[in-house]
Amino acid sequence: MGLRNESGFSMIELLVAMVVIALGLLSISALFPLGSRARMRGEGITKAIELAQQRMEQLVELGYDNLEDGCDSTVIRAYRVKWCISTLKWGPGTYDALKIVTDTVTYITPGGGYRKVGLTTYVSPKISGGR
């Protein structure tokens, strides 16, 4: 008889294939913490922007005449919301001024650092009087 024709993998081929698959799975598993951190960072930014927009809407709804210059803040869960109002005057007339409303939300990142999200808008006496 001659050489036998055996089909299939040899033991060495099987071991090499298993090592290649193991390395591939190991490299893919390293991506999971990165994805988790990116998701948490995105959630933090989204919540901060949402809180800043809510506060800004509340302040603008007060209207020009009810906005007093100064700063105030509050803490909502782990987010510090701070808003400041100042008046910008450029002339003697009733409509020669704007209220500058700045709203900043500070929060802790998953890595333990701090990030800020800020919004600024201007409120005019003409706009608030027409509502």
Side-chain angles (χ1 to χ4, degrees):
M1 296 185 94
L3 294 172
R4 293 188 298 185
N5 184 6
E6 294 184 28
S7 60
F9 293 107
S10 70
M11 187 61 85
I12 293 177
E13 290 172 327
L14 185 60
L15 285 172
V16 169
M18 288 174 62
V19 167
V20 169
I21 289 172
L23 288 175
L25 290 174
L26 191 61
S27 64
I28 289 173
S29 68
L31 296 176
F32 284 104
L34 293 174
S36 179
R37 264 188 254 125
R39 181 188 56 79
M40 288 171 44
R41 184 173 37 247
E43 286 176 0
I45 291 170
T46 301
K47 186 62 178 174
I49 291 171
E50 180 183 311
L51 291 171
Q53 287 176 333
Q54 287 174 356
R55 178 61 61 183
M56 186 64 74
E57 288 173 10
Q58 291 170 351
L59 292 170
V60 170
E61 280 296 315
L62 291 174
Y64 181 89
D65 294 329
N66 296 320
L67 291 173
E68 296 181 17
D69 287 5
C71 294
D72 202 355
S73 67
T74 187
V75 176
I76 302 171
R77 287 181 233 126
Y79 297 85
R80 182 172 182 258
V81 182
K82 179 181 179 183
W83 59 95
C84 292
I85 300 165
S86 60
T87 303
L88 173 65
K89 286 187 159 275
W90 61 86
T94 306
Y95 299 111
D96 294 339
L98 290 174
K99 296 283 185 173
I100 303 170
V101 182
T102 304
D103 188 15
T104 306
V105 177
T106 306
Y107 64 98
I108 300 173
T109 63
Y114 289 93
R115 290 197 84 168
K116 290 184 179 184
V117 172
L119 300 176
T120 300
T121 193
Y122 301 89
V123 180
S124 163
K126 289 182 183 180
I127 294 173
S128 64
R131 285 187 179 173

